[in-house]
Amino acid sequence: MNDNIFLVSGLPTRFSSPIVVRPYELSWFDVELPDPEPYDVVFRNRACLICGSDLHLYKGLHPFAPLPACCGHEVAADVVEVGSKVSTLVEGDRVYISGTGANLVPCGECIQCVRGEASRCENRKAPISFSVDGKPVSRFPSGFGEYTYGHEAYAFKLPDNVSYYEAAVTTDLAYVIGVVRRSGAGIGHVAAILGAGPIGLRTLEVARLAGISKIIVSEPVDYRRDCAEELGADFLIDPKMTDAVDEVLAATNGKGVDYVFDTSGSLAATRQGLKILKRGVGGLGMLVLMGLYEEPSLTVNLSELMYKAGKIVAEWGIREGRTQNIHDALHMLAEEKLSIMKWITHRLPEDKAVEAMEMLINKTEQAIGVEIVR
Ligand SMILES: [Zn+2]
Ligand SMILES: [Zn+2]
């Protein structure tokens, strides 16, 4: 088919989508843009935040997304075409799409679906699929490409004063809101945040809004630590230069912290996280794991953990309270409660996607939040 053929609606019949076929290699594939199924929507992407998990995927080390796979699932977009039964969106709506490419659509027929538990559907399927060399592409399509496709239930209208650039952070903001809420952390507590990348900085801002009384941030990269300071961290640690465990104990009169939000994805940091948990009776001290690990094996001294009555909680994705967390995130953005644009350091076009990921992996160009925009 000729690439220049356009439908009457003005949409192209094909578009090009970037796919990671081999580690550290992004290739563009010509893909058909389908007519939407009754409840599906075609979106034109406007901004896609590069997530830490995209970097694991690009390296071929994502634990749940085998290659070939697509990067880019944190997207703000325009609705450009809707299926015949879509009732919540119209062409031209500005939306945030939850989990572009990563969301499976419930079947509507299995026992979980008929009970109204669509998120537990036993037969979920991808809304659109594509194969490379006979292998299905995971997380297809990419939020870096021009178009994506999905079920209407995954799109949320943007408040008028929220830009595409701000809206692209909604996924991880909603995730962090859910994590902090479920942890129970709030007024009077002391927390340590390990890592000051996009998730760590968002955790810092949400923790501050939740009323956490003292927030300690440990981060080895200077410019990221500076950003944490600007966003209101009470105490900063450079774990390259000092012993992070000693520093935290000194900053807390030897007691340790009530909560550790470990966004680092680094086993060395996680070991420190266990050591700085407060000792106490009755379940004080919670270590919340929030970063994916490329080497996932950790040896834990279980007796030490029991002595501290500590808890380890692993949090992945926006699960429980998904819709509420997303609405709360969009509301926070609309009310300008966060300094998002302070750490969105770069906005680049699709053809710079490789450079964008390399600068995040190598921590160059002062990169923290990098978006692919159009
Ligand atoms: Zn993500
Ligand atoms: Zn089902």
Side-chain angles (χ1 to χ4, degrees), residues 174-193:
Y175 164 69
V176 165
I177 289 169
V179 169
V180 172
R181 191 174 356 235
R182 282 192 293 280
S183 75
I187 294 169
H189 290 132
V190 177
I193 297 170

Side-chain angles (χ1 to χ4, degrees), residues 71-311:
C71 292
H73 55 271
E74 309 200 359
V75 170
D78 291 323
V79 171
V80 290
E81 195 177 5
V82 296
S84 58
K85 293 194 172 158
V86 168
S87 59
T88 56
L89 298 170
V90 294
E91 224 180 283
D93 279 342
R94 302 163 66 247
V95 293
Y96 151 70
I97 312 167
S98 155
T100 306
N103 269 325
L104 300 174
V105 178
C107 70
E109 291 170 353
C110 72
I111 183 71
Q112 300 294 353
C113 282
V114 297
R115 278 178 183 157
E117 300 273 1
S119 61
R120 299 198 172 134
C121 171
E122 293 163 359
N123 306 313
R124 295 190 304 159
K125 63 172 180 53
I128 181 174
S129 61
F130 188 72
S131 295
V132 174
D133 299 334
K135 286 191 209 152
V137 177
S138 43
R139 304 189 147 227
F140 182 83
S142 168
F144 294 175
E146 184 161 7
Y147 293 95
T148 44
Y149 183 96
H151 194 280
E152 67 171 321
Y154 291 113
F156 296 76
K157 278 189 219 173
L158 298 185
D160 288 343
N161 67 331
V162 174
S163 68
Y164 298 113
Y165 309 136
E166 292 167 299
V169 310
T170 306
T171 301
D172 289 344
L173 182 56
Y175 164 69
V176 165
I177 289 169
V179 169
V180 172
R181 191 174 356 235
R182 282 192 293 280
S183 75
I187 294 169
H189 290 132
V190 177
I193 297 170
L194 310 184
I199 295 276
L201 294 173
R202 260 169 290 200
T203 305
L204 166 60
E205 289 206 277
V206 171
R208 241 186 32 213
L209 291 169
I212 294 177
S213 304
K214 182 170 189 163
I215 305 175
I216 300 167
V217 174
S218 176
E219 164 62 54
V221 177
D222 295 349
Y223 68 84
R224 293 186 168 200
R225 211 170 44 252
D226 293 346
C227 193
E229 183 167 28
E230 232 181 292
L231 293 177
D234 298 297
F235 191 85
L236 292 147
I237 296 169
D238 177 356
K240 286 192 317 296
M241 305 301 285
T242 53
D243 184 320
V245 174
D246 289 350
E247 291 276 310
V248 172
L249 294 176
T252 54
N253 298 321
K255 292 191 180 121
V257 300
D258 303 293
Y259 291 90
V260 175
F261 295 103
D262 182 358
T263 72
S264 68
S266 142
L267 291 182
T270 302
R271 274 186 216 104
Q272 292 167 347
L274 280 165
K275 290 201 158 48
I276 59 177
L277 278 185
K278 193 177 251 182
R279 285 162 192 243
V281 181
L284 286 176
M286 182 187 289
L287 170 64
V288 188
L289 305 179
M290 299 169 71
L292 281 182
Y293 298 85
E294 290 179 356
E295 294 172 79
S297 304
L298 175 71
T299 305
V300 177
N301 184 329
L302 292 172
S303 298
E304 189 186 349
L305 190 69
M306 289 185 75
Y307 175 64
K308 289 185 172 185
K311 295 189 185 96

